[in-house]
Amino acid sequence: MPQQRRRVFFVGVNKKKNKNMEKFIFPPPTHGNEMGISPFTSKDAISDLDFIPDDRVLGENIEYALPAQNNYQKKMRSNSKHLLNHSVTIHKDRTKEIIAMVPDGGNYKSLPEELWSTRKVNIAWTRMNSKRPCFTIDTGHNHHFHYRANRVPTVRESARIQSFPDDFEFIGIKTSQLKQVGNAVPPLVAEAIAVKIKNILDKG
């Protein structure tokens, strides 16, 4: 997954009904230093969606304007012919000016000190780092910004980082869509754990 996110999972086994069932062991990592495989970065996840200018509002059934650039993007696009949930948030000019001061991977500390208190949270004015996995996608996205564009990520960009395939449509107003994305267990993580559980149940 192209995201740094801490989650706690508990898997319980009813030993009274499954006396011979083997002990559950979580799936091993697939990427990271110990595997010798670099993790996918923020840019790896969404660079094929970068064709939207900051000031253009798009929405549903958008044509892909760029080809998939890596295996992760190909996987996310595999069952989709059009983009959904890819509407850009239009910020005030002053907000865009401040975002523009923050470099790739930077945060409020990259700004002049007089602007540090413009938002009263420690994650304020944080840009994705194009060379690293994304920070945790939360339910608001008011303080997190695209690694290149001077705006918050679209619902689709956030969904990509959460590993939702492009054919998965989020409904409701944008605020609701962002909450759905941020509160979700990333599908690729859920799949890995579910497959492990299924294998144990099949053997039991």
Side-chain angles (χ1 to χ4, degrees):
M1 272 193 59
Q3 184 181 178
Q4 293 176 323
R5 187 185 190 107
R6 292 185 179 274
R7 287 278 193 171
V8 177
F9 294 88
F10 296 90
V11 178
V13 176
N14 188 334
K15 291 188 176 180
K16 291 182 179 179
K17 294 184 178 181
N18 304 278
K19 293 181 180 179
N20 298 320
M21 186 174 290
E22 66 183 70
K23 181 180 179 181
F24 178 86
I25 299 175
F26 282 95
T30 59
H31 294 71
N33 293 334
E34 65 272 25
M35 303 301 295
I37 302 175
S38 298
F40 288 113
T41 67
S42 300
K43 187 174 182 178
D44 289 335
I46 62 175
S47 61
D48 63 321
L49 307 180
D50 280 1
F51 58 87
I52 300 180
D54 291 353
D55 57 355
R56 183 180 176 191
V57 179
L58 297 178
E60 307 299 327
N61 295 315
I62 307 165
E63 296 287 342
Y64 288 99
L66 294 172
Q69 298 171 26
N70 54 56
N71 289 335
Y72 183 82
Q73 293 176 9
K74 289 177 182 176
K75 182 178 179 67
M76 295 296 102
R77 291 167 65 151
S78 60
N79 296 315
S80 180
K81 295 181 179 179
H82 298 88
L83 273 170
L84 304 168
N85 308 116
H86 201 34
S87 297
V88 170
T89 298
I90 302 301
H91 300 287
K92 296 178 179 178
D93 289 342
R94 180 54 178 161
T95 300
K96 289 194 289 186
E97 289 173 1
I98 295 175
I99 299 171
M101 298 180 195
V102 180
D104 185 348
N107 57 27
Y108 74 96
K109 292 183 179 179
S110 306
L111 298 170
E113 193 166 348
E114 61 267 21
L115 295 176
W116 287 13
S117 61
T118 51
R119 297 193 176 184
K120 304 291 185 179
V121 291
N122 63 351
I123 58 172
W125 305 110
T126 301
R127 263 200 201 276
M128 297 176 185
N129 190 320
S130 65
K131 296 179 176 62
R132 294 182 181 178
C134 188
F135 39 68
T136 297
I137 294 295
D138 61 20
T139 60
H141 316 300
N142 293 324
H143 306 290
H144 297 156
F145 302 100
H146 191 280
Y147 60 83
R148 178 191 56 79
N150 297 321
R151 57 171 176 76
V152 296
T154 66
V155 173
R156 179 52 51 196
E157 288 166 338
S158 295
R160 273 283 190 89
I161 290 167
Q162 276 277 67
S163 79
F164 279 95
D166 288 0
D167 64 340
F168 190 100
E169 182 177 9
F170 298 88
I171 61 174
I173 60 174
K174 186 184 291 187
T175 301
S176 175
Q177 293 175 17
L178 290 170
K179 286 183 178 180
Q180 292 170 51
V181 175
N183 281 333
V185 173
L188 287 184
V189 175
E191 179 185 30
I193 295 174
V195 167
K196 186 73 173 181
I197 293 173
K198 182 180 184 301
N199 290 341
I200 291 178
L201 291 174
D202 288 345
K203 292 178 182 178

